């Protein structure tokens, strides 16, 4: 097989829509190049710095040896892993899959074992600004547009300063109980609590819901302590969707092995790229855990995740932000060729590599902007989770 020598690795933290995207271009001596994306939103400069460190020893490597490169990046330093470094590895790994697919003239899913589905079902969200009746009406609109899986956000999600969990859970439970009554039983309903609750608060929230209202509860508490999730698991039978922050197969280990969750919110741009994502997918299949990938970023992430979704058997829904057009993450000026929804599904692309084109001139012309997530406090002045 022809070797493709890596000649350049270029990090591009660039403002697209309402947030930065951390894009990475890997070039080779054949003229074939690939694009990747990192998922560590809000800390793009840290990821760009890590990529610059990796670039120093990756120049000259054979871009076709994706698995070996992954291992060398991960294992050639004493302080391995962590979310910043894994986000950098993710972007490089995705770009290498783009390169290899183009070099072989095949879509990236062929590098992952081939296509198992032709269309990628998605779930859509009501939006973090929609609450109460507005959110329920938004869910009706999404269902009319073809979505059978819909995610809500909690009351108070859009606050820029104060978030009080106990003020949110009762009102949110009331909203969801009514949503289920009005939308019926044949639609999948979930909610993302954005890890803003404690175990006790999450248990109280679940107990305020009528039985059968939720099909999944996403990230109710922080993920650092699996034992805390195990405790919550004993207090409710609602399926958990967890894992968007996980930066390796090792972080998934206790959740998969102990049967804590039912949906993996795996993010290919955080976990270590497609190389690591496929290992988590196989492990999950053995424990009957379905993938429900995290996908709040740009078209490069969407495309990479679609190839993963096409190639694995244990797949549920892919997150899409397309109905929230005001975000602008899929700006066609930056991404002239990108995945496009057909109803509530993404048709699987047969283009070589990822099937995405990036306007590098537009990327170069748009500068990075510092963006910071809201720093929330409770009414007593203490800091709480965003």
């Amino acid at each position: 097989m022809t070797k493709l020598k890596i000649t350049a690795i270029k990090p591009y933290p660039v403002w697209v829509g309402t947030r930065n995207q951390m894009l990475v271009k890997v070039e080779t001596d054949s003229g074939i190049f690939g694009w990747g994306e990192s998922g560590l939103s809000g800390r793009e400069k840290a990821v760009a710095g890590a990529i610059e460190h990796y670039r120093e020893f990756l120049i000259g490597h054979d871009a076709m040896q994706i698995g070996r490169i992954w291992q060398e990046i991960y294992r050639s330093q004493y302080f391995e892993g962590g979310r910043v470094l894994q986000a950098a590895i993710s972007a490089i790994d995705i770009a290498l899959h783009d390169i290899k697919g183009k070099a072989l003239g095949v879509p990236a899913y062929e590098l992952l074992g081939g296509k198992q589905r032709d269309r990628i079902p998605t779930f859509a969200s009501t939006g973090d600004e929609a609450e109460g009746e507005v959110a329920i009406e938004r869910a009706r609109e999404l269902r009319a547009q073809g979505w059978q899986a819909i995610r809500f956000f909690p009351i108070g999600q859009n606050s820029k300063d104060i978030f009080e969990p106990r003020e949110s859970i009762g009102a949110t439970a009331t909203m969801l109980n009514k949503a289920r009554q009005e939308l019926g039983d044949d639609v999948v309903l979930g909610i993302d609590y954005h890890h803003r609750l404690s175990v006790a608060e999450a248990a109280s929230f679940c107990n305020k819901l009528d039985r059968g209202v939720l099909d999944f509860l996403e990230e109710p508490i922080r993920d650092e302590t699996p034992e805390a999730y195990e405790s919550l698991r004993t207090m409710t039978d609602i399926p958990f969707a967890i894992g968007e922050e996980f930066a390796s197969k090792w972080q998934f280990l206790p959740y998969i092995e102990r049967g804590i969750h039912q949906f993996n919110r795996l993010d290919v741009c955080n976990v270590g790229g497609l190389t690591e994502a496929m290992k988590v997918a196989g492990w999950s299949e053995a424990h009957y855990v379905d993938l429900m990938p995290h996908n709040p970023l740009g078209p490069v992430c969407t495309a990479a995740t679609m190839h993963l979704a096409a190639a694995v058997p244990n797949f549920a829904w892919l997150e899409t932000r397309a109905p929230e057009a005001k975000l602008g993450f899929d700006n066609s000026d930056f991404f002239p060729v990108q995945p496009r929804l057909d109803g509530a599904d993404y048709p699987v692309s047969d283009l070589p590599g990822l099937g995405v084109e990036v306007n590098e001139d537009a990327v170069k012309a748009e500068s990075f902007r510092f963006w910071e997530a809201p720093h929330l406090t409770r009414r007593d002045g203490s800091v709480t989770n965003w």
Side-chain angles (χ1 to χ4, degrees), residues 38-40 47 54 70 73-74 77 79-91 93 219 223-224 242-256 264-277 279-280 283 294:
S38 153
L40 198 64
V47 176
Y54 294 147
W70 196 102
I73 297 176
Y74 189 88
Q77 54 202 352
F79 298 102
E80 75 278 2
R83 286 168 177 164
V84 173
L85 299 184
Q86 286 295 96
I89 291 175
S90 298
D93 183 87
E219 312 284 354
D223 70 273
E224 291 94 341
I242 308 169
E244 63 192 54
E245 317 97 309
F246 292 176
S248 73
K249 54 183 166 287
W250 293 286
Q251 279 191 282
F252 275 102
L253 185 153
Y255 291 88
I256 295 173
N264 268 344
R265 292 286 282 135
L266 176 149
D267 189 326
V268 297
C269 296
N270 283 328
V271 77
L274 290 167
T275 296
E276 191 79 338
K279 295 177 182 179
V280 174
W283 201 355
H294 184 237

Side-chain angles (χ1 to χ4, degrees), residues 220-236:
I221 64 175
R222 296 192 71 96
D223 70 273
E224 291 94 341
T225 307
E227 290 78 8
Y229 259 112
E230 282 187 307
S231 176
L232 182 60
R233 176 76 285 159
T234 67
M235 302 179 195
T236 180

Side-chain angles (χ1 to χ4, degrees), residues 128 130-131 153-164 167-168 171-172 193 196 376:
D128 58 11
E131 298 184 351
F153 290 107
I155 303 294
Q157 165 81 8
N158 198 43
S159 174
K160 300 297 188 292
D161 48 16
I162 302 292
F163 183 79
E164 276 291 346
E167 294 176 8
S168 172
T172 301
Y193 241 108
R196 292 190 180 185
L376 299 179

